[in-house]
Every structure is written in C-alpha cells, then in structure tokens.
Amino acid sequence: MTTTQPAPPPSMRLRELAFGAACAAALRAAARLGVADALGDQPMAVEDIAAAVKSEPGPLRRLLRALSCYGVFAERPDGTFAHTDVSRLLREDDPHSLRAISLWCTEPWTWDVWPKLDEAVRTGRNVVEDLYGKEFFPYLNENAPESADVFNRAMTTSSVQSAQDVAAFLDLTGCASVADIGGGQGHVVASLLDKYPDLRGTLLDLPRVVENAVPRLRTGGDLADRAQVVPGDVRTAVPVKADVYVIKNILEWDDESTIRTLRNVREAGGPGTRVVVIENLVDDSPSMRFSTAMDLLLLLNVGGAKHTRQSMVDRLTEAGLVIDDISPVNPYLHAFDCHIPG
C-alpha cells in the first residue's frame, strides 16, 4: 500500500528522475493492456483485473504499485486497487480521455530518439532523418502506420476537446468561408459550421488524414453541403480560397517549414484575408513540465519547437503577416489574429 511520504533527499530525487522512463513505460503498458477500462467504479482485486486484461497477476500488481506511486491508480489497505482522477483519464470512455496521447508520447520511435537528445542539442537538427533515412511524417505514414494511427487518434482527442473552445472564441460574423489548414479530421471546421449556419468550410490535410474526416463533413453527412474536404500537404501548397484561414497547432516544425506554410497561406488568401494562428505557448503554459518535454520531443522528431509568444510573432512577421491581436482561447491555447497586407 502506498502512503504519503516526505520529499526524498536530492540524491534520491535525481535517481527517480533518471528512472523517468520507467513511469512512461508503465503508463504505456497500462494503456495497451486496457487496465483502466477493466477497473470499474469499485476497487478490484489484482487477480480479477488480471483475468480481464489477460495478464499474470504478480507482474500486474508490480505495474499497478509502480503507477500508484505517481497517483495513477490507488492501492488500498486490503490489497485491492481503485481508480484515481488521473487513472480514469486512461479509460477509452472518459470524456476527457488521454489514453491516445499517452500512447503517442511513448510510441516505439520515441524510445529511439530520446537517447540522441544531446546530439540534437549540439546540432539543432532533428535526429529522425539520420535514424530512419527520411523526414518524420513520411517515415510515420510509410513505415510506421500503427504509430501514424496513434498520432491521428491523439490529435483527434486534442481537437475534440478544444474545438468547442475555438469555435466559441472565434467571431466569424460576416464571413462566407473558412479553411482549416492542417485541420486533422475536421472537428474545428464542424464546430464553426454549427455556430454559423451560413458559413462554408474547407478541411485541408494529408490524404491519409482526411480519409478519416468526421462523417458529418463527408458525403451523406449533415454538414456535407457546406463542407469541402481537400487532401494535400500544406507545406507544399494551399489550394484553397477562403475569407478566413485557421491554422491550429501545426506550426511546430522547423522554422523553414513553418515559414513556407505561412507563405503558402498568404499566397492562397491574398491581400486583406484574415489568418488566425492558434498555438500552445511554452512561456505561457499551466504545465511547464509537459510543455518543455513536448518542446524537446519536437526538436528530436522534426527539428521544431513549441513557440514562445515572441518566436510566434517573429515567424508570422517573417512570413509577411500583420498581427492584429493576441488573445488566450483557453488556459492552453493562444490565438494570433492576423491579416495579409495589400
């Protein structure tokens, strides 16, 4: 049974940090086994959980004990285990589920790249191209389709959870059309079309992504007559004309790819067109440990970075956009409201 313990001395704290991979691996194992889904509202014996997830009781107890040290599951005095507010987020059916994101952050490629962080820090370059012989997203889609599916599910989870906030924040009164650039499966577009019944919307993303666009946007869906789904790589071209372009959480590549994407949008939109860029900011985050970890992972896989407010301003300005306003969408997201100059 875990009990409240005093803070460990520095020497033990450093040992714990050095073993941080054990916590990540334990989270991944629990997510892949479906432990959180098997554990109901009442505490359960390890033997019963093990039978439900088809594992050995002894090793499962060790896994649950390790996770309970971090507040993921709770061990009770009688040896049973119960959910915590954290472990419930590993359930598939939780409305705020982070199961897909937990898997995405621990996919096999991540265990290949983390040991090379010193190399990435020395060079400022991603390490994926040297490891796999191609850029990260081509590698993912061509060589690691299971990881690509996990990525898409994780991005869908994030989009579903934030789409309503984005739609509530954006005022598109008087606009006839909106395009979500690199918009995943289209949750933001769908939310905006719900809010504005006369609006037309376009979703642009890679072919493999838009194949799985939300059914409401596709033929037969209730929004299909006002929606267009376009396959394409936003870093190559933006073949979409709209009054407003929304670019949410995709400008975290290397600077060259980011600038190229913004210039593609500028070319497609033309003078006076509104461009709204929505990003997490590493210098204005309620969770710096998570934000800085993602920042380092972006360095490793695409040579990119989580933006600070100033770095986002610099990229937008370099791409030729004029920033009109910067506002928080919610505690995690900020909107840079811009226009294309004449």
Side-chain angles (χ1 to χ4, degrees):
M1 180 182 68
T2 56
T3 58
T4 301
Q5 299 288 336
S11 59
M12 185 53 66
R13 178 62 180 146
L14 186 58
R15 286 183 173 93
E16 291 174 351
L17 290 171
F19 257 124
C23 179
L27 273 176
R28 180 174 179 82
R32 285 172 60 84
L33 287 167
V35 175
D37 298 288
L39 180 57
D41 292 332
Q42 300 302 316
M44 290 177 63
V46 168
E47 290 76 13
D48 294 332
I49 304 172
V53 302
K54 298 179 173 57
S55 73
E56 290 295 320
L60 180 61
R61 181 182 295 279
R62 293 159 65 185
L63 177 69
L64 288 168
R65 181 181 296 127
L67 286 169
S68 68
C69 294
Y70 296 91
V72 186
F73 303 108
E75 186 177 5
R76 295 166 59 88
D78 62 0
T80 61
F81 283 86
H83 267 303
T84 64
D85 289 344
V86 178
S87 65
R88 288 185 187 278
L89 297 175
L90 286 176
R91 291 183 62 94
E92 284 277 15
D93 61 1
D94 189 276
H96 305 290
S97 176
L98 295 176
R99 181 179 183 274
I101 291 173
S102 298
L103 289 172
W104 167 242
C105 293
T106 56
E107 278 297 285
W109 63 267
T110 67
W111 303 94
D112 290 340
V113 301
W114 279 120
K116 296 182 176 295
L117 183 57
D118 58 327
E119 177 184 329
V121 170
R122 275 197 299 267
T123 65
R125 295 180 58 252
N126 77 73
V127 301
V128 163
E129 290 182 65
D130 288 340
L131 273 173
Y132 303 127
K134 58 182 66 175
E135 290 184 352
F136 178 66
F137 283 106
Y139 162 74
L140 209 63
N141 285 290
E142 296 166 12
N143 300 88
E146 290 184 8
S147 282
D149 288 339
V150 170
F151 172 75
N152 291 333
R153 291 200 302 273
M155 295 305 100
T156 296
T157 297
S158 178
S159 292
V160 168
Q161 293 172 357
S162 63
Q164 293 297 325
D165 289 342
V166 172
F169 169 83
L170 280 179
D171 183 357
L172 301 185
T173 304
C175 297
S177 59
V178 62
D180 193 358
I181 305 304
Q185 295 179 341
H187 295 281
V188 169
V189 167
S191 295
L192 289 169
L193 293 180
D194 280 337
K195 182 179 178 182
Y196 295 99
D198 296 326
L199 189 68
R200 298 189 64 83
T202 300
L203 169 66
L204 172 65
D205 211 319
L206 295 170
R208 195 173 187 276
V209 177
V210 297
E211 281 177 3
N212 297 306
V214 292
R216 298 184 67 198
L217 301 176
R218 290 183 273 145
T219 302
D222 63 301
L223 298 175
D225 62 334
R226 294 191 287 130
Q228 181 184 19
V229 177
V230 178
D233 186 341
V234 300
R235 295 176 298 172
T236 301
V238 175
V240 176
K241 182 72 175 177
D243 294 338
V244 180
Y245 293 86
V246 176
I247 309 173
K248 177 178 173 288
N249 278 358
I250 66 167
L251 298 181
E252 298 171 338
W253 304 301
D254 60 279
D255 286 350
E256 193 276 331
S257 294
T258 294
I259 297 298
R260 186 167 9 120
T261 298
L262 290 170
R263 286 177 175 164
N264 289 340
V265 171
R266 190 186 68 186
E267 183 178 339
T273 301
R274 184 180 175 192
V275 179
V276 182
V277 174
I278 300 173
E279 287 287 340
N280 303 102
L281 299 179
V282 75
D283 59 344
D284 196 354
S285 168
S287 180
M288 286 296 288
R289 288 182 182 178
F290 175 75
S291 297
T292 54
M294 283 300 300
D295 182 51
L296 293 176
L297 191 59
L298 285 164
L299 170 62
L300 288 165
N301 66 357
V302 295
K306 283 284 184 184
H307 286 286
T308 63
R309 180 180 295 247
Q310 189 57 52
S311 72
M312 192 73 256
V313 167
D314 291 344
R315 298 295 86 71
L316 293 169
T317 302
E318 185 177 348
L321 298 176
V322 176
I323 301 169
D324 300 310
D325 186 52
I326 305 173
S327 302
V329 175
N330 61 27
Y332 295 90
L333 294 171
H334 284 71
F336 294 74
D337 211 328
C338 312
H339 72 269
I340 300 172

